[in-house]
Amino acid sequence: MSWELIEHLEARFPEVEPFPRGEPSSAEEPPAHKHDAAKAPVHHVPGAVVPAGRLLEICHALRDEAPFLLDYCSFVTGVDRPEAGQIEVVYHLFSMIAHHELLLKVRVPRDDPRVPSVSGIWSAANWHERETYDLFGIAFDGHPDLRRIMMTDDWVGHPLRKDYVYEDPQWLVDLVTQRRHEAGSS
């Protein structure tokens, strides 16, 4: 049923862009090398790219309307695509009732990554959006408590961006200096 969801989604929202459907691999076929750039991506979970401006409307329909009834958001994350100047926001949705799943992607500009928060639709998205904000710098407009969840408040940058360069925060430099000084005077 899951791939049929994409047909229903596309009928309801013609502007969505379905993922290419993955073909089941045969037992005789050797596993593809994970770094083989000549092969197109294969999607085993149905999904679609949706416009950011329609995200909330589409998500309400996915949660509330048959045949979707996707009542659980199991994760939200990002994919940094600096070569395209974009970040993809990825949502993995599941139906506890119908036992099917769907992925959504929203492409946003890398220099101002923002989408509406879906935490008002699926409360489980709350902390996932905070983590994605913290690690990728994606702003979730309308989120009830958008602040860092993993990194310290004074952390500079977003560690899962491909151009991120780690630098010790000043508090850590000061602490190491203090400990070295204490160890040298003992």
Side-chain angles (χ1 to χ4, degrees):
M1 172 60 178
S2 286
W3 282 100
E4 293 172 23
L5 291 177
I6 296 303
E7 295 169 12
H8 290 287
L9 181 64
E10 198 172 17
R12 175 86 162 73
F13 300 98
E15 65 275 18
V16 304
E17 178 188 327
F19 294 171
R21 185 174 179 168
E23 298 299 324
S25 60
S26 72
E28 299 170 17
E29 184 179 318
H33 189 273
K34 70 178 182 179
H35 297 292
D36 187 355
K39 295 194 181 245
V42 175
H43 300 277
H44 297 286
V45 175
V49 178
V50 302
R54 304 279 314 268
L55 179 65
L56 294 180
E57 179 185 1
I58 290 170
C59 287
H60 275 290
L62 290 174
R63 182 193 65 188
D64 299 337
E65 296 177 14
F68 309 112
L69 303 174
L70 296 158
D71 54 350
Y72 179 59
C73 178
S74 65
F75 74 80
V76 178
T77 191
V79 178
D80 189 12
R81 303 238 183 253
E83 70 284 352
Q86 297 176 335
I87 294 180
E88 294 176 340
V89 186
V90 182
Y91 302 86
H92 188 209
L93 309 174
F94 187 78
S95 173
M96 300 291 192
I97 299 162
H99 303 284
H100 53 237
E101 60 189 328
L102 186 75
L103 288 176
L104 291 184
K105 286 186 182 181
V106 178
R107 294 182 177 129
V108 294
R110 197 168 186 275
D111 60 348
D112 186 25
R114 57 187 339 89
V115 293
S117 173
V118 299
S119 64
I121 300 170
W122 296 288
S123 60
N126 186 312
W127 283 29
H128 295 285
E129 288 180 347
R130 286 183 58 195
E131 179 180 7
T132 305
Y133 162 73
D134 197 1
L135 300 177
F136 286 96
I138 300 165
F140 292 89
D141 296 333
H143 189 281
D145 187 21
L146 192 62
R147 60 189 165 98
R148 290 195 180 270
I149 193 169
M150 298 178 79
M151 311 308 290
T152 58
D153 290 337
D154 62 344
W155 199 267
V156 177
H158 304 283
L160 290 185
R161 285 200 177 203
K162 291 183 179 172
D163 58 356
Y164 177 76
V165 176
Y166 174 78
E167 292 183 28
D168 286 332
Q170 190 59 48
W171 64 266
L172 183 58
V173 173
D174 295 344
L175 181 62
V176 169
T177 303
Q178 177 186 348
R179 296 281 163 85
R180 285 183 181 156
H181 177 70
E182 290 169 357
S185 29
S186 304

